[in-house]
Each structure stands twice: as C-alpha cells, then as structure tokens.
Amino acid sequence: MVRKVFVLVMVLLWCEEMLAQVGLSRKYGNQQDTKGLSINYSSPKEYEIADIEVKGVEFLDNNALISLSGLRVGDKIKIPGESISAAIKKLWKQGIIGNVSIYANKVEEGKIWLTIELTERPRLTSYEFVGISKSMQGELKDQIDLVRGKILTDVLIKNTQHAVFSYMEGKGYLNAEVNISQEKDTLLSNSVKIIIDVEKNSKVKIKDINFYGDDQFASSKLRSKLKKTGQRPRFTIVKDLFEKTLWVLNPKNFFHFASHREEVDKVALMEYLGEHVYVNVFKSSKYVKSDYEADKDLLIAFYNSKGYRDAEIVKDSIYAINGKQINIDMYVDPGVKYYFRNIDWTGNYIYTDEQLSKVLGVRSGDVYDLELIQKKLNFNPNGTDVSALYMDDGYLFFSVTPVEVGVYGDSIDLEMRIYEGVQATINKVTVSGNDKTNDHVVLRELRTYPGQKFSRADLIRTQRELSQLGYFDPEKVNPVPKPNPVDETVDIEWQLAERANDQVELSGGWGGFYGFVGTLGISFNNFSVRNIADFSKWRPLPSGDGQKFSVRLQANGKQYQSYSVSFSEPWLGGRKPNNFGISFTQSVTRSINYFATSPTDQGKLGLTGVTVSLGRRLTWPDDFFTISNSLGYLRYDRTGVYNQGQTRGSSHSFTFNTTIARNSADNPMYPRTGSNLSLSASFTPPYSLLGSNIDYNDPNANVYKYLEYHKWNFDMWYYMKLVGDLVLASKMHIGYLGSYSDKVGVGPYERFTLGGSGLTGQNFLLGTDVIGLRGYEDNSLRPVDNNGTPETTADDITGGTVFTKFAMELRYPVSLNPSATIYGLTFFEGGNNWNDYSQFNPYDMYRSVGVGVRIFMPAFGLLGLDWAYGLDPVFGGNTISGPQFHFTIGQQIR
C-alpha cells in the first residue's frame, strides 16, 4: 500500500512539472526537433536568451510585458526549469492577460530565441444599468470604478457587482440580484460594453426589534437609542384596557386616544404604550447592516452612561419572516450597575483638587459614567470643562487621563492623572483659502494674535466670527493649531473656503390690487470702495474689503414704484469694528381713478427717506453685545384722495434710533445653538410739548405735519440642538408705538399690521411695519373693536400700536452645502395686534401650524415656501382661515 501511494505522488509531481512548462513541452515534447532542442526532464540544459518576441498584443506595450515577465536578453535559464513557469505566473498575476504561453522558436549554439504569445483582456467602452431609476444610476456612478478604456478584469467585474449590491442593500433591497453581462463592441476591436442588470425585488424592512435579558429599561427606551435602525410604524389596537376599545397611534413622544369614558387612566395607557407601541417617524425601518452595527455600539454606550459598565450584547438574531420583512432579536446582559466612590487628582499644581472637582461636578455616589467624565474633562459643549481651565490659560500641552484604580463591589475609584505642561505662546498666524477676500478683512476678525498666550476659547470664538461674515462656508472654517513643544510655541493656520455671496433678485409677483409687480435687485456683500479705480479687482464689481452695496427697484408701472440704495462699512477707519451705514429710499403708490374729472381725485402717497447709522461692538456685559445708533429722515407726501382718506399734505419724521443687540448664534444660515436678542427704540422730537404753533383743535389743520412718537421693538431668537442636526428654533417679537401727548395721539404712520409672509415690499403699505403670520392673508390681522369690526384711524389707515408674535420651528437640514443650503421645518405660531395698550391681551392670539422649506443660494439669498393652516377666524368670523401658501424672499426680521 505504501509503495502505491509513493508511485501516485511521483506521478502527480511529474504532471505538475509538465504543466508548468506548458509552452515548451507542448511545442516540442520529449524528443529531438528540427532545430536541435531536446527536452529531457531528467537532465535539464542551460541556454542563454538571445531574443524575446511578443505576439498577440494590440494595446499593451511589448517592452513592458517582457519586463513584467522577469526574463531578460542575456540571462541564462535552464530548460526545463523554474524561469519559464515563473514568467508565466508573473504575467498572469497582472490581471490584464487572457491566455499566455512561452515557447522557443529557435535554438543555436547554446542560445535560445523565445516567443511570448498571449491574448489581451477586452477593454471597456461603455456600461449601462438596467432595472433601476435614473436617480439611482446617478448615485451608483459615483461609487463604481468603471472608466472608458479600462481593462475588464475578473476583479473589476466582481468589485462592480459588490458595489452595486452594497448600494442596493443600503436602500433596503436585501434581496436584490445583480448580474453583469458583456457585449462585444463591433466598432472597436477587443472592446466590450457591459450591462449591469439589477433586479431590485421587494424591500426588506424591519417588522419588530425585540430585546431579551434586561428588565431595567423598557424595550421602547432601548429602541429609541438605535439611531438609524427602527421598526415599522403601525397602528395598535388596545383591547379592553379601559373597559372599551381604544385606537392608539403613538408617533414616538405623542399619543392620541379616543374613548367614551369621561376619565381615562393616562398613566396606565402610557405604561402600555411604553411596552407595546413604538413608532419613530424620524427613523427608517429598512435594514442596513453598517447602520445596525453602529447602532449596537450606541446601545452599549447608553448602558454605560447609566452605570452598566460591563453591559454587552450576548447575541443577536436576524431572521426573515417573509420575503419583505425581518425581525431582530437582541439578547442583552446589562451586568452590575456601578457608582463612583473616590475621585483623586494627581499631577496638578496650577489648580487645587477642590477647584478641579467643582468643575468636574461628579460626586461620590453618582452613577458611574465614563463618557460623562471624558466630556467634562476634555470638551463639554454645555459648559466649562477641566481642559478649558488650562487651555484658556495657554496650557496647550495639557492632558488628563482617568484611570480606574479600584473596584469595590459596585463602586469604583478613579484617579485623574494630569500633565500640565508649559504655557504655549502663539508664534505665527496664517490664513489660506481666501482667494477673493483680502487678508486684512480676515485678520481683523481674529482673536488669536502672535505673541499672546494660546486660548481655546479665543480659537472657538474666532471660528464663530469668521463663520458669521458670510464670505466663507461656515462648515469649513477650520483652525489648525501646529504645536511646537520644543520652543513652547504654537502656529495657527486658518483654513477657509470662499463661497459666492453676491445676490441677484429678479422676480415677479401678483400684488393684488396692483396687479403684476416686477423686482430687480442686486447686493454686493463683499464690496470694495478703494478698488473702484482698479479694474483688475472688478469681479464683476470691486470686491474684497467686506463692505456691502445694494441697489433695488420694484414697480408695476404708474401705480407703484420703489427705489432704494444702501452702503455699509463694518470697520470704519479700519482699526475698530465701527459699523457705518447710509441708505436712501423713494417710493410712491397711486390710487388711480380712471373716471376722475379732476386731478385732485387722483390719490398718491409718496415716501422719501435717508438714514445714517453708526454702530460698535461692546465688551460689557460680554463681547457678544453691539449697539447701533442712527438718524433718519422720512417725508410722506399725501395728495388727492388716497384710500378714501382726507388730504393731509406732507408729513416729516426726524428719528433717532438706538438698538442694543446680542448675537451668539453659531451659524448665520443654519444656527444650531445660541441666541439672538435685539431691543430697539426710536424717538422723534415731542413737538406738541415744545410749543408747536399747530392748532390741534382745528379739524382742518395738518396735525401730522411733524410726526411725533416713540416706538419700541423687542425681538428674540433662541436655538437649541435636539438630536444631531435637528434644531428647535423659538422666536418672540413684541412691538409698541406710543405718543407724547393725548392731544396728538398716535399718528397714521409706523403702525403694525399682521398676516401673511411679512414681505413689506410685496404689500405696498408705506409707513407701516408688516409682521408676518403664516396661515392668514397678507395684512388681514388688524385691530378689531368689541363687535369684531376692524378699527381704523381718522385717516382710514389701519394698523395697531401694540403687537405680539410667538413662534416655534422644528428644523432639519437637507443639505448644508454652501452652494445650496436647504432645510425643512414644521412650525406653530401665533400673534395679534391691538389699537391701544389697554386692549392688550396676551392670550388673544391668531394661531397657525404648518410646514415649509428654506433654500439659501448665494446668488439669490434666502427663499422660503410655507404651507400654513390658520386655526382661527379673522375679525371674529365663524370660518377659520384654513390653508394658505406663502412665499418669502430674504431673511425675515419678524
């Protein structure tokens, strides 16, 4: 038996050697040929390579192929031997060869002439998808590595097939089938086109996610910690829970129930919902393996944050229910719940143990949460952390490492090992990426200067200031510290990415009574006055100095025209952030009567105004505050019969305005955190109290020749990040218009009207503050008397002297790309206005709910579209306002 095995092994070895020499052995065999080459496996002969020829090549380079083979002219090889088989293997490994053989075509005086004969793999000319939509095809083209002219290898086909399947799996098509076929290209030799045929089949979704082995947390709580993996939404019938059937829909945190019982046990209902009903409208129920694996880590992190340091997922099971649904069973072992016992500090000299423990805010007996410890040691977005104490004082090289030094039952001792290092001084500060904006515009916003101590707080604040400029992509303002421990310094590079911020407004709209109204406007938000004479800096106008220049005109013909020009310089003089601005506006509206017999029957209201302002940044109470003062002059010219009112001639308004504001929002286009507060007050001279010669008791006197009033506005925006980029934006606006004397009262101008989109330019109400309130017609919400009738002034101009507005928006971004920032929102808002403060009632509001979208494009600014549903009737009617669409242009103030 042993002898038979030995003979079999020898035969197999001989066959392997024969196959290795396939080129030569098949050509010549074990016999003498006409050229004198004899192959004898028992006695190999040595030959010198005289020449190497390549056949069968059309696109590949002959010399490159010879080099890849490892054979060289002048080399001595043995035949039979390893050199030929090694050359074949090397060529085959490249993946570009279909078939290869090597044979000798001449032997003479110990020299051999070799021929490498091969066939090339085909090249790719094109590819197409079958079975999927054009949008899917577009996304897949970015994920597959198929380029025209590329050699079509087996590996390339397999990788393409895998990439397509992975993409389909990410879309929820776990049962997708991908077949790749080849078609010969008749126009080009040795070229093919491939067809990628995708059979999507049904989407696979998660029906149920079940948890076993844990009695500490409800299953609904655990499911909520899975960020992207959710089970399908569904209705649940709760039978006999309160003696009668209840139909329950539970979209995550909200529930609705109907019952014939007067009293419902809500606690029992919520307990049942927590165990049996779970719907998350923000999660997809499709199964994506990578998302699921990441969510398992998040689940363990949740357990760790609750003190379950040793928690683990013992096993999980994913199984199909049918061709469209799967279930997930997760077996969790939470382990023991741990608590902090002693926390000691070592290596600290700058701050005492008591100071550090106070900042840490963790006490003996607190639930063990190492993630919380890391956050409070290194970076805490919601407050001060230990690292900030050191790094804001220059200790850039500071580090702290928490180490578990003892576990006693369910209690753990921690030791905080600190390395304080030395204070780092800023050496060099550089800026890159500002191709259009001049360096001094960036440098004047920096709070990190060469020679000062490093401060992390200054770094973060500078990042915010540069983001707020509007010249750069806020998501790409990136500070890069480059520490130099040897000389105890740090270099800081500010990496920026310019974005287009000049805006063109070209639009048309229907202005109700006025018909079609066209608008043309242009704003240069990075203008430069000093470069006006340098035409090389025109892009298309001189730019780069951070100034703003705007021109806007709007008209529908004779009935309405409006023109405005404005300019602002944020750093007047170039040394301090003193904002200087000047603006001019002129508008006119006409009440045209085509049947009038006299020019006096034609009504007209004209407005001419100029404003000069100067503002500066404050350092108290903190450096987020600014103050701005302005002087304005407005002239109202009212002639003829305008709006059935009385002829009043001209009115003049000289106004001093002061505005105190605080803005800590982190991003101008999509704020996630921070707030924006503004309190403004406008005052005119009190002519009636200064001995005016106007007889206010004369009904024919123009008592409004010189307008007198004081006007107050308070505006507040607050942004709170909920989860990820989901943001809750809360807003509050309050306005009040008062008079100095009862004998004059509040005039017809500067009043408040509510309703609609809030676009003053589209409402044509000159001398009126238009406050948007979605869900109602433009300017439809005006003060009403006790009978529900709209109140008017003596001049038949309506509008309130007091208004309030409150709004809450839930926002989520679709794209934060600087070329098109897009986010969707859902909102609830309410507001009202009153003719007198004595009528003010904060609970009397017109309410609305709705959804919308905002799109910011640098060339056009912020565009908005809202669908709103007004929940209340207008002017005390019986019919609610109902659904309304609203379109907005620009950032609305209120």
Side-chain angles (χ1 to χ4, degrees), residues 7 159 272 370 476 551 564 588 600 837 859:
V7 171
N159 287 344
Y272 183 90
L370 195 56
K476 296 182 179 179
V551 178
S564 62
V588 62
T600 58
Y837 180 74

Side-chain angles (χ1 to χ4, degrees), residues 10 103 340 398 406 550 589 619 624 633 702 726 763 801 810 883:
M10 293 303 294
Y103 61 85
F340 289 110
F398 161 84
S550 300
T589 61
T619 58
F624 287 108
Y633 167 72
N702 184 3
L726 183 65
N763 292 291
T801 62
L810 197 63

Side-chain angles (χ1 to χ4, degrees), residues 457-468:
D458 289 343
L459 207 68
I460 296 173
R461 182 62 185 276
T462 299
Q463 186 177 25
R464 175 192 174 275
E465 299 297 337
L466 294 177
S467 299
Q468 291 282 348

Side-chain angles (χ1 to χ4, degrees), residues 46 66 208 233 363 608 736 757 876 884:
E46 187 175 74
I66 294 172
D208 292 312
R363 298 180 180 180
T608 303
Y736 174 70
S757 60
Q884 303 278 338

Side-chain angles (χ1 to χ4, degrees), residues 342-354:
N342 298 320
I343 299 178
D344 299 321
W345 303 85
T346 63
N348 53 306
Y349 301 98
I350 307 300
Y351 298 100
T352 64
D353 292 1
E354 291 74 16

Side-chain angles (χ1 to χ4, degrees), residues 87 173 187 238 571 709 753:
Y173 296 97
L187 299 178
V238 185
W571 284 67
Y709 60 85
T753 65

Side-chain angles (χ1 to χ4, degrees), residues 772-774 805-808 827-831 846-849:
L773 188 62
R774 292 165 286 190
K805 176 184 173 181
F806 306 91
M808 297 183 70
F827 64 86
F828 171 81
E829 64 184 15
Y846 294 96
R847 302 161 299 160
S848 67
V849 296

